[in-house]
mmCIF file of all heavy atoms in Angstrom:
data_model
loop_
_atom_site.group_PDB
_atom_site.id
_atom_site.type_symbol
_atom_site.label_atom_id
_atom_site.label_comp_id
_atom_site.label_asym_id
_atom_site.label_seq_id
_atom_site.Cartn_x
_atom_site.Cartn_y
_atom_site.Cartn_z
ATOM 1 N N ASP A 1 0.836 -1.206 0.004
ATOM 2 C CA ASP A 1 0.002 -0.001 -0.007
ATOM 3 C C ASP A 1 0.867 1.247 0.000
ATOM 4 O O ASP A 1 1.883 1.311 0.709
ATOM 5 C CB ASP A 1 -0.924 0.026 1.217
ATOM 6 C CG ASP A 1 -2.053 -0.981 1.113
ATOM 7 O OD1 ASP A 1 -2.141 -1.643 0.067
ATOM 8 O OD2 ASP A 1 -2.832 -1.101 2.076
ATOM 9 N N ASP A 2 0.466 2.255 -0.770
ATOM 10 C CA ASP A 2 1.208 3.505 -0.829
ATOM 11 C C ASP A 2 1.115 4.237 0.513
ATOM 12 O O ASP A 2 0.064 4.241 1.159
ATOM 13 C CB ASP A 2 0.661 4.394 -1.946
ATOM 14 C CG ASP A 2 1.479 5.643 -2.127
ATOM 15 O OD1 ASP A 2 2.502 5.596 -2.813
ATOM 16 O OD2 ASP A 2 1.095 6.684 -1.560
ATOM 17 N N GLN A 3 2.212 4.881 0.900
ATOM 18 C CA GLN A 3 2.234 5.546 2.197
ATOM 19 C C GLN A 3 1.218 6.671 2.305
ATOM 20 O O GLN A 3 0.714 6.959 3.390
ATOM 21 C CB GLN A 3 3.642 6.064 2.501
ATOM 22 C CG GLN A 3 4.150 7.119 1.560
ATOM 23 C CD GLN A 3 5.547 7.600 1.934
ATOM 24 O OE1 GLN A 3 6.249 6.951 2.697
ATOM 25 N NE2 GLN A 3 5.946 8.751 1.424
ATOM 26 N N GLU A 4 0.882 7.321 1.195
ATOM 27 C CA GLU A 4 -0.139 8.364 1.229
ATOM 28 C C GLU A 4 -1.502 7.768 1.569
ATOM 29 O O GLU A 4 -2.290 8.371 2.312
ATOM 30 C CB GLU A 4 -0.204 9.098 -0.102
ATOM 31 C CG GLU A 4 0.906 10.114 -0.312
ATOM 32 C CD GLU A 4 0.626 11.012 -1.492
ATOM 33 O OE1 GLU A 4 -0.144 11.976 -1.345
ATOM 34 O OE2 GLU A 4 1.183 10.764 -2.578
ATOM 35 N N GLU A 5 -1.801 6.580 1.020
ATOM 36 C CA GLU A 5 -3.065 5.922 1.330
ATOM 37 C C GLU A 5 -3.113 5.549 2.813
ATOM 38 O O GLU A 5 -4.154 5.663 3.464
ATOM 39 C CB GLU A 5 -3.217 4.659 0.473
ATOM 40 C CG GLU A 5 -3.252 4.909 -1.025
ATOM 41 C CD GLU A 5 -4.521 5.635 -1.449
ATOM 42 O OE1 GLU A 5 -5.530 5.541 -0.722
ATOM 43 O OE2 GLU A 5 -4.499 6.306 -2.500
ATOM 44 N N VAL A 6 -1.973 5.103 3.338
ATOM 45 C CA VAL A 6 -1.907 4.753 4.748
ATOM 46 C C VAL A 6 -2.126 5.982 5.611
ATOM 47 O O VAL A 6 -2.854 5.941 6.619
ATOM 48 C CB VAL A 6 -0.550 4.096 5.072
ATOM 49 C CG1 VAL A 6 -0.449 3.775 6.559
ATOM 50 C CG2 VAL A 6 -0.349 2.828 4.250
ATOM 51 N N ALA A 7 -1.513 7.094 5.239
ATOM 52 C CA ALA A 7 -1.683 8.335 5.998
ATOM 53 C C ALA A 7 -3.142 8.788 6.001
ATOM 54 O O ALA A 7 -3.662 9.252 7.029
ATOM 55 C CB ALA A 7 -0.786 9.428 5.413
ATOM 56 N N ARG A 8 -3.814 8.645 4.867
ATOM 57 C CA ARG A 8 -5.230 9.018 4.800
ATOM 58 C C ARG A 8 -6.083 8.116 5.691
ATOM 59 O O ARG A 8 -7.061 8.566 6.306
ATOM 60 C CB ARG A 8 -5.727 8.947 3.362
ATOM 61 C CG ARG A 8 -5.421 10.221 2.571
ATOM 62 C CD ARG A 8 -6.160 10.230 1.258
ATOM 63 N NE ARG A 8 -5.520 9.367 0.277
ATOM 64 C CZ ARG A 8 -4.576 9.766 -0.563
ATOM 65 N NH1 ARG A 8 -4.153 11.013 -0.526
ATOM 66 N NH2 ARG A 8 -4.038 8.938 -1.421
ATOM 67 N N LEU A 9 -5.706 6.837 5.784
ATOM 68 C CA LEU A 9 -6.420 5.912 6.662
ATOM 69 C C LEU A 9 -6.304 6.365 8.129
ATOM 70 O O LEU A 9 -7.293 6.373 8.870
ATOM 71 C CB LEU A 9 -5.859 4.499 6.486
ATOM 72 C CG LEU A 9 -6.548 3.390 7.295
ATOM 73 C CD1 LEU A 9 -7.919 3.085 6.696
ATOM 74 C CD2 LEU A 9 -5.687 2.135 7.311
ATOM 75 N N PHE A 10 -5.102 6.728 8.519
ATOM 76 C CA PHE A 10 -4.878 7.213 9.886
ATOM 77 C C PHE A 10 -5.673 8.480 10.146
ATOM 78 O O PHE A 10 -6.276 8.654 11.215
ATOM 79 C CB PHE A 10 -3.393 7.475 10.118
ATOM 80 C CG PHE A 10 -2.639 6.289 10.622
ATOM 81 C CD1 PHE A 10 -2.397 5.184 9.804
ATOM 82 C CD2 PHE A 10 -2.134 6.255 11.907
ATOM 83 C CE1 PHE A 10 -1.697 4.083 10.262
ATOM 84 C CE2 PHE A 10 -1.444 5.168 12.394
ATOM 85 C CZ PHE A 10 -1.218 4.065 11.563
ATOM 86 N N GLU A 11 -5.672 9.387 9.190
ATOM 87 C CA GLU A 11 -6.376 10.644 9.353
ATOM 88 C C GLU A 11 -7.889 10.426 9.434
ATOM 89 O O GLU A 11 -8.570 11.034 10.258
ATOM 90 C CB GLU A 11 -6.052 11.585 8.197
ATOM 91 C CG GLU A 11 -6.755 12.936 8.301
ATOM 92 C CD GLU A 11 -6.583 13.760 7.043
ATOM 93 O OE1 GLU A 11 -6.442 13.169 5.954
ATOM 94 O OE2 GLU A 11 -6.601 14.986 7.138
ATOM 95 N N ARG A 12 -8.402 9.571 8.581
ATOM 96 C CA ARG A 12 -9.851 9.359 8.500
ATOM 97 C C ARG A 12 -10.401 8.716 9.772
ATOM 98 O O ARG A 12 -11.478 9.077 10.250
ATOM 99 C CB ARG A 12 -10.165 8.495 7.284
ATOM 100 C CG ARG A 12 -11.657 8.327 7.018
ATOM 101 C CD ARG A 12 -11.891 7.511 5.752
ATOM 102 N NE ARG A 12 -11.265 8.143 4.593
ATOM 103 C CZ ARG A 12 -10.349 7.576 3.834
ATOM 104 N NH1 ARG A 12 -9.909 6.367 4.118
ATOM 105 N NH2 ARG A 12 -9.834 8.198 2.784
ATOM 106 N N TYR A 13 -9.650 7.769 10.340
ATOM 107 C CA TYR A 13 -10.168 7.012 11.475
ATOM 108 C C TYR A 13 -9.431 7.311 12.778
ATOM 109 O O TYR A 13 -9.643 6.598 13.778
ATOM 110 C CB TYR A 13 -10.086 5.507 11.165
ATOM 111 C CG TYR A 13 -10.929 5.119 9.973
ATOM 112 C CD1 TYR A 13 -10.340 4.754 8.777
ATOM 113 C CD2 TYR A 13 -12.325 5.152 10.048
ATOM 114 C CE1 TYR A 13 -11.103 4.409 7.670
ATOM 115 C CE2 TYR A 13 -13.093 4.810 8.939
ATOM 116 C CZ TYR A 13 -12.481 4.441 7.753
ATOM 117 O OH TYR A 13 -13.252 4.123 6.664
ATOM 118 N N ASN A 14 -8.584 8.329 12.800
ATOM 119 C CA ASN A 14 -7.880 8.740 14.022
ATOM 120 C C ASN A 14 -7.135 7.564 14.664
ATOM 121 O O ASN A 14 -7.239 7.318 15.866
ATOM 122 C CB ASN A 14 -8.859 9.355 15.038
ATOM 123 C CG ASN A 14 -9.494 10.621 14.522
ATOM 124 O OD1 ASN A 14 -8.834 11.448 13.905
ATOM 125 N ND2 ASN A 14 -10.777 10.799 14.791
ATOM 126 N N LEU A 15 -6.367 6.844 13.848
ATOM 127 C CA LEU A 15 -5.644 5.674 14.329
ATOM 128 C C LEU A 15 -4.377 6.072 15.065
ATOM 129 O O LEU A 15 -3.762 7.096 14.770
ATOM 130 C CB LEU A 15 -5.295 4.756 13.164
ATOM 131 C CG LEU A 15 -6.460 4.242 12.315
ATOM 132 C CD1 LEU A 15 -5.941 3.309 11.218
ATOM 133 C CD2 LEU A 15 -7.502 3.531 13.160
ATOM 134 N N VAL A 16 -3.994 5.243 16.014
ATOM 135 C CA VAL A 16 -2.711 5.400 16.707
ATOM 136 C C VAL A 16 -1.677 4.487 16.075
ATOM 137 O O VAL A 16 -0.513 4.830 15.954
ATOM 138 C CB VAL A 16 -2.864 5.094 18.195
ATOM 139 C CG1 VAL A 16 -1.519 5.159 18.903
ATOM 140 C CG2 VAL A 16 -3.841 6.060 18.857
ATOM 141 N N SER A 17 -2.119 3.317 15.649
ATOM 142 C CA SER A 17 -1.245 2.377 14.947
ATOM 143 C C SER A 17 -2.130 1.479 14.098
ATOM 144 O O SER A 17 -3.353 1.397 14.282
ATOM 145 C CB SER A 17 -0.413 1.539 15.940
ATOM 146 O OG SER A 17 -1.271 0.817 16.824
ATOM 147 N N ALA A 18 -1.497 0.799 13.144
ATOM 148 C CA ALA A 18 -2.239 -0.093 12.253
ATOM 149 C C ALA A 18 -1.351 -1.273 11.881
ATOM 150 O O ALA A 18 -0.160 -1.092 11.615
ATOM 151 C CB ALA A 18 -2.691 0.655 11.000
ATOM 152 N N PRO A 19 -1.920 -2.472 11.849
ATOM 153 C CA PRO A 19 -1.119 -3.646 11.476
ATOM 154 C C PRO A 19 -0.870 -3.691 9.970
ATOM 155 O O PRO A 19 -1.687 -3.226 9.179
ATOM 156 C CB PRO A 19 -2.006 -4.817 11.910
ATOM 157 C CG PRO A 19 -3.403 -4.286 11.802
ATOM 158 C CD PRO A 19 -3.308 -2.810 12.177
ATOM 159 N N VAL A 20 0.270 -4.242 9.604
ATOM 160 C CA VAL A 20 0.620 -4.445 8.198
ATOM 161 C C VAL A 20 0.518 -5.932 7.908
ATOM 162 O O VAL A 20 1.138 -6.749 8.609
ATOM 163 C CB VAL A 20 2.032 -3.934 7.887
ATOM 164 C CG1 VAL A 20 2.342 -4.116 6.411
ATOM 165 C CG2 VAL A 20 2.163 -2.465 8.279
ATOM 166 N N LEU A 21 -0.266 -6.297 6.888
ATOM 167 C CA LEU A 21 -0.524 -7.704 6.579
ATOM 168 C C LEU A 21 0.102 -8.076 5.245
ATOM 169 O O LEU A 21 0.159 -7.266 4.325
ATOM 170 C CB LEU A 21 -2.035 -7.963 6.504
ATOM 171 C CG LEU A 21 -2.878 -7.454 7.686
ATOM 172 C CD1 LEU A 21 -4.333 -7.847 7.485
ATOM 173 C CD2 LEU A 21 -2.354 -7.956 9.018
ATOM 174 N N ASP A 22 0.563 -9.320 5.144
ATOM 175 C CA ASP A 22 1.116 -9.804 3.885
ATOM 176 C C ASP A 22 -0.005 -10.346 2.994
ATOM 177 O O ASP A 22 -1.194 -10.235 3.318
ATOM 178 C CB ASP A 22 2.205 -10.849 4.118
ATOM 179 C CG ASP A 22 1.679 -12.127 4.776
ATOM 180 O OD1 ASP A 22 0.439 -12.314 4.836
ATOM 181 O OD2 ASP A 22 2.513 -12.949 5.219
ATOM 182 N N ASP A 23 0.353 -10.960 1.891
ATOM 183 C CA ASP A 23 -0.656 -11.435 0.933
ATOM 184 C C ASP A 23 -1.539 -12.525 1.508
ATOM 185 O O ASP A 23 -2.652 -12.772 1.021
ATOM 186 C CB ASP A 23 0.032 -11.953 -0.340
ATOM 187 C CG ASP A 23 0.717 -10.826 -1.118
ATOM 188 O OD1 ASP A 23 0.317 -9.672 -0.931
ATOM 189 O OD2 ASP A 23 1.635 -11.133 -1.899
ATOM 190 N N ASN A 24 -1.062 -13.213 2.541
ATOM 191 C CA ASN A 24 -1.843 -14.264 3.182
ATOM 192 C C ASN A 24 -2.565 -13.788 4.428
ATOM 193 O O ASN A 24 -3.016 -14.607 5.251
ATOM 194 C CB ASN A 24 -0.915 -15.440 3.551
ATOM 195 C CG ASN A 24 -0.303 -16.093 2.332
ATOM 196 O OD1 ASN A 24 -0.995 -16.352 1.349
ATOM 197 N ND2 ASN A 24 1.002 -16.340 2.374
ATOM 198 N N GLU A 25 -2.651 -12.454 4.565
ATOM 199 C CA GLU A 25 -3.365 -11.832 5.693
ATOM 200 C C GLU A 25 -2.681 -12.083 7.036
ATOM 201 O O GLU A 25 -3.304 -11.955 8.088
ATOM 202 C CB GLU A 25 -4.806 -12.309 5.766
ATOM 203 C CG GLU A 25 -5.636 -11.982 4.520
ATOM 204 C CD GLU A 25 -5.774 -10.480 4.288
ATOM 205 O OE1 GLU A 25 -6.016 -9.754 5.263
ATOM 206 O OE2 GLU A 25 -5.625 -10.050 3.132
ATOM 207 N N ARG A 26 -1.411 -12.460 7.001
ATOM 208 C CA ARG A 26 -0.659 -12.614 8.244
ATOM 209 C C ARG A 26 -0.031 -11.270 8.635
ATOM 210 O O ARG A 26 0.453 -10.526 7.784
ATOM 211 C CB ARG A 26 0.443 -13.666 8.099
ATOM 212 C CG ARG A 26 -0.073 -15.076 7.985
ATOM 213 C CD ARG A 26 1.066 -16.086 8.140
ATOM 214 N NE ARG A 26 2.067 -15.892 7.096
ATOM 215 C CZ ARG A 26 2.110 -16.600 5.968
ATOM 216 N NH1 ARG A 26 1.220 -17.555 5.744
ATOM 217 N NH2 ARG A 26 3.042 -16.379 5.074
ATOM 218 N N MET A 27 0.003 -11.016 9.923
ATOM 219 C CA MET A 27 0.551 -9.751 10.419
ATOM 220 C C MET A 27 2.079 -9.826 10.423
ATOM 221 O O MET A 27 2.670 -10.734 11.014
ATOM 222 C CB MET A 27 0.032 -9.445 11.813
ATOM 223 C CG MET A 27 0.444 -8.082 12.329
ATOM 224 S SD MET A 27 -0.391 -7.657 13.861
ATOM 225 C CE MET A 27 0.467 -6.107 14.223
ATOM 226 N N VAL A 28 2.726 -8.861 9.764
ATOM 227 C CA VAL A 28 4.176 -8.884 9.650
ATOM 228 C C VAL A 28 4.833 -7.612 10.193
ATOM 229 O O VAL A 28 6.057 -7.534 10.275
ATOM 230 C CB VAL A 28 4.623 -9.087 8.177
ATOM 231 C CG1 VAL A 28 4.238 -10.473 7.695
ATOM 232 C CG2 VAL A 28 3.997 -8.014 7.281
ATOM 233 N N GLY A 29 4.027 -6.627 10.554
ATOM 234 C CA GLY A 29 4.611 -5.381 11.057
ATOM 235 C C GLY A 29 3.516 -4.426 11.504
ATOM 236 O O GLY A 29 2.324 -4.765 11.486
#
């Protein structure tokens, strides 16, 4: 995912952190 899209996600939902998932939906970061 592009970092700008991630930033918009944080802004839209007031997130503090968000998990990063791989193609198999496993959390990697």
Side-chain angles (χ1 to χ4, degrees):
D1 287 357
D2 185 83
Q3 63 179 17
E4 283 192 80
E5 298 292 336
V6 178
R8 276 192 283 270
L9 183 73
F10 271 70
E11 180 189 30
R12 186 177 301 121
Y13 298 109
N14 297 320
L15 302 181
V16 176
S17 58
V20 182
L21 311 183
D22 65 12
D23 293 338
N24 297 314
E25 300 297 317
R26 290 192 299 263
M27 186 172 175
V28 292

